[in-house]
Amino acid sequence: MQYLAWPIAALAFEVFFVLLFRRQFAAFLERVSSVGRHGVSTLPIPGPRSIEQQADAPPSEEIQNLLQSFDSPAMLQVERAISDDLEARRLDSSSDTTKVLVRHLAKTRLQLACEFVYRLIFGSQIALLKRINTMGGRLSEADVHLYYQAVARANPDVFPADQPGPYEEFLVRQGLLLHRDDQFLITDFGREFLSWLVQSSAPENKAL
């Protein structure tokens, strides 16, 4: 039986080797184009697509799902602004790689903008923003003034009763509200900020 030991050991090693590298063997066999007297001919290993090839190719389902995974009007606006800037600089804006990077950059910018506003906004301004959102996205200038008067009465040392301008203008300057035709309207970013408050579990009962 000793003369069988070496062939059996060699066979076991070959089986182990094939199992260990089965994926590489399968990939190699897929690239075999012909077998002849001079050996085996294989197709070249496909390299990564260039930016130009990506731009011309239809987006994959995975990339489509990613790009639609956290759509919002505010997100699309920021994306559009980034893409417009790339096009103005004559840089690629249509390849899969660029689209994915633009999407992540837009999301990061929105999150940073929300965090910045949150550090400055008063708790009563958050409550006002939520009220406007629940009132169809708009509230008259007179009603906003009345709201401010109530806040001023509760905090007379901070808010002068006859000066609602700075309180209201902060929300406009930060892009949370629009002031148009004696109406205050919530913006897409205003709604994004309210969504961010919920998603980040940020306390809404801030001071003032």
Side-chain angles (χ1 to χ4, degrees):
M1 295 296 291
Q2 292 182 352
Y3 67 90
L4 294 176
W6 186 87
I8 292 174
L11 179 62
F13 177 78
E14 291 175 2
V15 170
F16 173 78
F17 187 82
V18 170
L19 291 176
L20 183 64
F21 296 99
R22 62 185 182 277
R23 291 184 180 177
Q24 290 85 343
F25 279 127
F28 172 77
L29 291 176
E30 288 179 356
R31 293 192 296 109
V32 172
S33 60
S34 64
V35 179
R37 53 188 293 186
H38 299 293
V40 178
S41 299
T42 61
L43 298 172
I45 299 175
R49 293 184 299 169
S50 66
I51 292 294
E52 291 78 9
Q53 289 173 323
Q54 288 182 349
D56 294 336
S60 67
E61 182 178 354
E62 181 180 357
I63 292 174
Q64 285 281 43
N65 292 336
L66 171 65
L67 295 177
Q68 296 173 1
S69 60
F70 39 86
D71 269 345
S72 72
M75 175 77 70
L76 296 176
Q77 288 179 13
V78 177
E79 271 191 336
R80 195 175 304 117
I82 296 173
S83 295
D84 289 345
D85 182 62
L86 289 174
E87 291 174 3
R89 299 171 186 271
R90 297 184 178 181
L91 298 173
D92 169 67
S93 64
S94 56
S95 69
D96 288 349
T97 300
T98 303
K99 288 178 181 178
V100 171
L101 292 176
V102 167
R103 168 53 58 102
H104 286 296
L105 176 58
K107 185 178 182 180
T108 301
R109 283 189 176 181
L110 276 178
Q111 289 178 334
L112 291 175
C114 289
E115 291 173 2
F116 176 79
V117 170
Y118 182 75
R119 288 199 299 269
L120 302 176
I121 198 169
F122 296 133
S124 61
Q125 289 172 315
I126 294 176
L128 174 59
L129 194 64
K130 292 179 66 177
R131 181 177 179 182
I132 294 175
N133 190 48
T134 59
M135 297 293 291
R138 65 178 62 222
L139 201 62
S140 69
E141 184 180 273
D143 286 338
V144 173
H145 288 347
L146 287 174
Y147 179 90
Y148 173 79
Q149 293 296 329
V151 173
R153 285 194 298 270
N155 304 276
D157 296 335
V158 179
F159 302 115
D162 59 343
Q163 297 179 24
Y167 182 92
E168 298 164 356
E169 289 170 5
F170 168 83
L171 299 173
V172 175
R173 288 198 311 272
Q174 298 303 321
L176 302 168
L177 294 178
L178 284 176
H179 190 193
R180 181 189 301 160
D181 300 330
D182 298 328
Q183 298 274 326
F184 282 94
L185 299 88
I186 192 168
T187 63
D188 290 333
F189 177 61
R191 290 191 173 92
E192 188 78 21
F193 176 72
L194 293 179
S195 297
W196 175 85
L197 286 175
V198 175
Q199 294 169 2
S200 63
S201 301
E204 299 177 13
N205 57 338
K206 296 183 65 181
L208 305 176

